[in-house]
Amino acid sequence: MKLRIHVTLKPGVLDPQGKAIEHALAGLGFAGVNGARVGKLIELDVAEGTADADIDAMCRQLLANTVIENYRVEKA
Amino acid sequence: MKTAVIVFPGSNCDRDMAVALEQVTGRAPAMVWHRDTALPDGIGMVAVPGGFSYGDYLRAGAMAARSPIMAAVAAAAGKGMPVLGVCNGFQVLTEAGLLPGALMRNGGLNFVCRDVALTVENAQSAFTGRYAAGERVSFPVAHHDGNFVADAETLDRIEGEGRVAFRYAEPVNGSARAIAGVLNDAGNVLGMMPHPERRIEPAHGGTDGRRLFEGLLETIGA
């Protein structure tokens, strides 16, 4: 079973990388970019039937730092 | 006092830390490999050194925090053993949940490698007894991810409980409320981005860091 784990910064957590990207896009002449935030996409290949609770535990224990990040699991 | 330094793949300040501990305690620390599952007997203090454990994969300190030895470090910390995390060690301790908050990319995006001025905020802790509250000290920093982040409630709590050990006295990395070093609620775990182990003897350009180790030795009466 293929999973796509989207890890994103929580709202309110400052993202210097996103800010730099936003400024770089403006520097390239793209107007109207009102924000940029950088996250991660982690693709997992797990055994069929892996319990949602186990997938959630993988996210909480390692893949995301829930102090600063949210995560969303997408089953392909 | 017997001490231990945890060594991860990618640690690069483990030897600096070992030299500092040996100079101050008079005996070489045990170098404990991350795959070990127990700390050596009779250890009075654990240091988690700087570096780039696991190449900072996923997040700085994330992989190291889940390595086998960290369960033993967490258990020892829970029983009151002093644990000092410096630089990557601070990142590891936050990732391990032994300290609040997280360390994110520096606000200016640049790697910062220079001496910085710090203010000693709490001179009562197990680590800072040889400093005066409000004293200005100088330690080197060398990090890319030293931007301390926590929610406002957590920041208020750690400040209110006197758990900010050191604060930057100049702009360095964008850390919330200029926090450079933070203690756990019991006061026996300290994480800090600046490197006290690199200010041990006059040849280092100063000895401000030595007092941290001396104070710790005094506190634990070894």
Side-chain angles (χ1 to χ4, degrees), chain B residues 27-181:
Chain B
R27 57 195 296 181
M31 306 303 282
V32 181
W33 185 235
H34 71 118
R35 302 281 301 175
D36 290 351
T37 53
L39 293 166
D41 288 338
I43 291 295
M45 177 265 180
V46 177
V48 187
F52 295 86
S53 56
Y54 295 88
D56 279 352
Y57 288 174
L58 192 62
R59 299 174 300 275
M63 311 303 288
R66 279 81 180 172
S67 60
I69 193 61
M70 286 308 295
V73 172
K79 290 179 188 157
M81 185 185 293
V83 176
L84 171 66
V86 172
C87 199
N88 188 223
F90 184 13
Q91 296 161 342
V92 171
L93 294 177
T94 59
E95 280 282 344
L98 294 175
L99 289 172
L103 281 311
M104 296 190 60
R105 181 56 40 102
N106 292 342
L109 294 177
N110 288 321
F111 191 97
V112 179
C113 184
R114 59 181 167 86
D115 292 352
V116 300
L118 302 173
T119 305
V120 179
E121 287 290 320
N122 176 345
Q124 309 286 319
S125 80
F127 301 86
T128 52
R130 288 269 177 106
Y131 300 96
E135 183 182 349
R136 190 70 62 92
V137 294
S138 172
F139 290 172
V141 295
H143 61 248
H144 209 171
D145 297 280
N147 181 352
F148 184 76
V149 172
D151 59 44
E153 188 187 328
T154 303
L155 292 169
D156 288 345
R157 193 176 70 245
I158 61 182
E159 286 189 324
E161 293 173 353
R163 289 165 56 190
V164 177
F166 296 96
R167 234 186 267 272
Y168 298 108
E170 57 181 291
V172 176
N173 53 26
S175 283
R177 303 188 192 176
I179 290 171

Side-chain angles (χ1 to χ4, degrees), chain B residues 179-191:
Chain B
I179 290 171
V182 67
L183 295 152
N184 69 341
D185 54 358
N188 67 308
V189 179
L190 170 65

Side-chain angles (χ1 to χ4, degrees), chain A residues 7 9 13-17 20 40 42 60-65 67-69, chain B residues 58-59 62-63 66 94-95 101-109 147 149-150:
Chain A
V7 180
L9 287 175
V13 174
L14 289 174
D15 179 9
Q17 289 184 86
K40 295 188 187 88
I42 300 167
R60 279 185 287 104
Q61 289 177 32
L62 179 64
L63 302 180
N65 178 345
V67 173
I68 48 170
E69 294 169 329
Chain B
L58 192 62
R59 299 174 300 275
M63 311 303 288
R66 279 81 180 172
T94 59
E95 280 282 344
L103 281 311
M104 296 190 60
R105 181 56 40 102
N106 292 342
L109 294 177
N147 181 352
V149 172

Side-chain angles (χ1 to χ4, degrees), chain A residues 2-40:
Chain A
K2 300 276 175 57
L3 303 176
R4 292 160 72 87
I5 317 288
H6 300 264
V7 180
T8 52
L9 287 175
K10 287 185 173 176
V13 174
L14 289 174
D15 179 9
Q17 289 184 86
K19 273 282 171 225
I21 289 167
E22 186 185 328
H23 293 149
L25 287 171
L28 288 171
F30 294 102
V33 178
N34 298 320
R37 293 176 73 73
V38 178
K40 295 188 187 88

